[in-house]
């Protein structure tokens, strides 16, 4: 497999992780859910290879970072627990993963950061191939965001990789999905509105 040199100047790798979560469904004694966002670029000098017996995007089944650590550079963050304790230009780690054949192989963590001694991580539990051609790979899946003092938060992540004649690049985003409590409260609210309208009628 051919190693691919990563450099910020070419924007070879940009990883953007965004989280938006409703606080409905929590109680006074429950841990809060995670909210906010974090954006990464890959640390200069790191490398990756395509896995699956081929360096071709069309037949690849995963991305291999060779066990490298600190291969992510934080450029901005508003994630719960990180905004005041984790400065920009700090380092995180993106793990190797296998996405094909779907549902892929669960990865825990897919990415991680250590903030003031506390590990912040995202565990990917599923991979769905949306598009795979000789020049592009688009994926999505689901998983959990975790941080000490917060409830594990359900999240969806999206990933896309593109190939040009002289470089390869990919980006990723992560956003929370509604928690069961939120859906239950929404359902009760809608039911209450329906009953009120019937009484008025």
């Amino acid at each position: 497999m051919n190693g691919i040199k990563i450099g910020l100047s070419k924007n070879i790798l940009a990883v953007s992780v965004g989280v938006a979560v409703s606080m409905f469904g929590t109680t006074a004694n429950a841990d809060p859910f995670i909210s906010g966002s974090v954006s990464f670029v890959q640390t200069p000098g790191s490398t990756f290879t395509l896995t699956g017996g081929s360096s071709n995007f069309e037949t690849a089944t995963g991305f291999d970072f060779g066990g490298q650590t600190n291969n992510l550079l934080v450029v901005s963050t508003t994630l719960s627990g990180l905004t005041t304790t984790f400065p920009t230009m700090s380092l995180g780690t993106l793990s190797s993963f296998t996405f094909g054949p779907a549902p892929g192989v669960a990865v825990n963590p897919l990415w991680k950061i250590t903030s003031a001694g506390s590990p912040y991580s995202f565990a990917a539990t599923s991979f769905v191939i949306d598009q795979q051609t000789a020049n592009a790979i688009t994926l999505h899946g689901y998983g959990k965001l975790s941080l000490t003092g917060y409830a594990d938060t359900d999240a969806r992540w999206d990933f896309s990789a593109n190939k040009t004649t002289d470089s390869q690049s990919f980006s990723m985003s992560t956003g929370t999905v509604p928690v069961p409590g939120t859906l239950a409260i929404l359902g009760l609210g809608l039911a209450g509105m329906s009953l009120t309208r019937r009484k008025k009628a």
Side-chain angles (χ1 to χ4, degrees), residues 106-107 110 122-128 140-144 154-158 174-177:
V107 180
L110 180 62
F122 174 72
T125 56
S126 67
F127 300 77
V128 177
H140 79 271
Y142 296 88
K144 293 275 189 181
D154 291 332
R156 168 177 167 143
W157 66 280
D158 294 89
T174 305
T176 58
V177 296

Side-chain angles (χ1 to χ4, degrees), residues 5-85:
K5 204 69 175 180
I6 305 299
L8 288 177
S9 60
K10 292 186 178 181
N11 296 319
I12 295 300
L13 169 65
V15 179
S16 176
V17 181
V19 183
V21 62
S22 170
M23 297 307 294
F24 293 116
T26 63
T27 66
N29 296 321
D31 290 333
F33 288 99
I34 298 168
S35 64
S37 63
V38 60
S39 296
F40 304 101
V41 294
Q42 190 159 359
T43 306
S46 59
T47 60
F48 74 87
T49 55
L50 296 172
T51 59
S54 173
S55 60
N56 189 317
F57 268 43
E58 195 165 18
T59 56
T61 60
F63 290 83
D64 184 4
F65 297 97
Q68 298 170 93
T69 59
N70 297 329
N71 59 347
L72 290 178
L73 188 67
V74 177
V75 293
S76 66
T77 179
T78 59
L79 277 178
S80 305
L82 287 187
T83 51
T84 58
T85 60

